[in-house]
Amino acid sequence: DAKTTQPTSMDCAEGRAANLPCNHSTISGNEYVYWYRQIHSQGPQYIIHGLKNNETNEMASLIITEDRKSSTLILPHATLRDTAVYYCIVRYHAGNNRKLIWGLGTSLAVNP
Amino acid sequence: DTAVSQTPKYLVTQMGNDKSIKCEQNLGHDTMYWYKQDSKKFLKIMFSYNNKELIINETVPNRFSPKSPDKAHLNLHINSLELGDSAVYFCASSWGHTLGNTIYFGEGSWLTVV
């Protein structure tokens, strides 16, 4: 029952920008978009999150469309260590029950 | 210094046994979670505790019982283990449980039931 859709896999050349798309067409007004990644055999790692405005931190940039129905995570200069599964998640509210609904993510392979 | 640490990392046990996975966080967070990642790589929340109080309890069998002795610890006890319990279990923590808080995950505990 994930509320987001992402491509199953993507490839990127080392040193180039990796642009990972995510559709969240049913997002509601107070739901944030979160991005996490999971490197093989490790726990998920927080990358970035946003509500309406574009966001940037030391790891990545998040571009959210004006209608908030989709977003793109940008890794400006991908390295081999960025090879991971990237999850786009919408924070879901159901009364007092707040939780993240995880999909299957995009498996990003950064190639030398 | 590991922020969220869980033990054991690997656990192989027989059906019917009872086992526990321990979790500790040194981030000063007041909310802790247990997630389960199955063979299809779906990550699903199981439990969430805020200040030692249970706030999220997903539909998991009663055989799974979380215990939070203090804010820094959330242990997961599993009774009468079944083959379907084989998965990776992740502990996590955050400051607060409302919108916008970042969740920090442990490295995972690989449970195999044979």
Side-chain angles (χ1 to χ4, degrees), chain A residues 72-84:
Chain A
T72 301
L73 179 74
I74 300 173
L75 308 178
H77 306 287
T79 70
L80 298 178
R81 288 176 294 181
D82 292 323
T83 293

Side-chain angles (χ1 to χ4, degrees), chain A residues 2 30-32 34 36 38 41-46 49 87 91 93 96-100 102-104, chain B residues 9 33 35 37 40-43 45 55-56 58 90 97-103 105-108 110:
Chain A
N30 62 350
E31 289 180 323
Y32 283 76
Y34 282 78
Y36 282 75
Q38 188 173 20
S41 297
Q42 296 184 21
Q45 176 191 23
Y46 167 81
H49 74 280
Y87 295 96
R91 190 80 182 232
H93 273 216
N96 291 324
N97 202 350
R98 296 171 174 83
K99 58 184 178 182
L100 299 174
W102 298 70
L104 287 176
Chain B
K9 187 172 177 66
Y33 311 80
Y35 282 80
Q37 189 169 40
K40 295 182 180 179
K41 302 300 183 183
F42 276 113
L43 196 63
I45 191 168
I55 56 170
I56 293 177
E58 290 298 292
F90 288 100
H97 59 95
T98 55
L99 288 169
N101 52 306
T102 301
I103 298 177
F105 286 83
E107 292 296 299
W110 271 251

Side-chain angles (χ1 to χ4, degrees), chain A residues 6-74:
Chain A
Q6 301 174 251
T8 304
S9 62
M10 293 182 64
D11 286 299
C12 177
E14 189 178 16
R16 305 297 292 268
N19 298 303
L20 293 94
C22 178
N23 287 325
H24 30 79
S25 57
T26 61
I27 194 171
S28 60
N30 62 350
E31 289 180 323
Y32 283 76
V33 178
Y34 282 78
W35 283 84
Y36 282 75
R37 72 179 183 184
Q38 188 173 20
I39 295 170
H40 182 61
S41 297
Q42 296 184 21
Q45 176 191 23
Y46 167 81
I47 301 174
I48 199 167
H49 74 280
L51 183 62
K52 296 180 183 177
N53 300 322
N54 297 337
E55 301 289 343
T56 296
N57 62 20
E58 65 277 4
M59 290 183 69
S61 294
L62 175 60
I63 308 298
I64 303 174
T65 57
E66 194 169 339
D67 62 8
R68 303 212 320 124
K69 293 185 177 182
S70 65
S71 60
T72 301
L73 179 74
I74 300 173

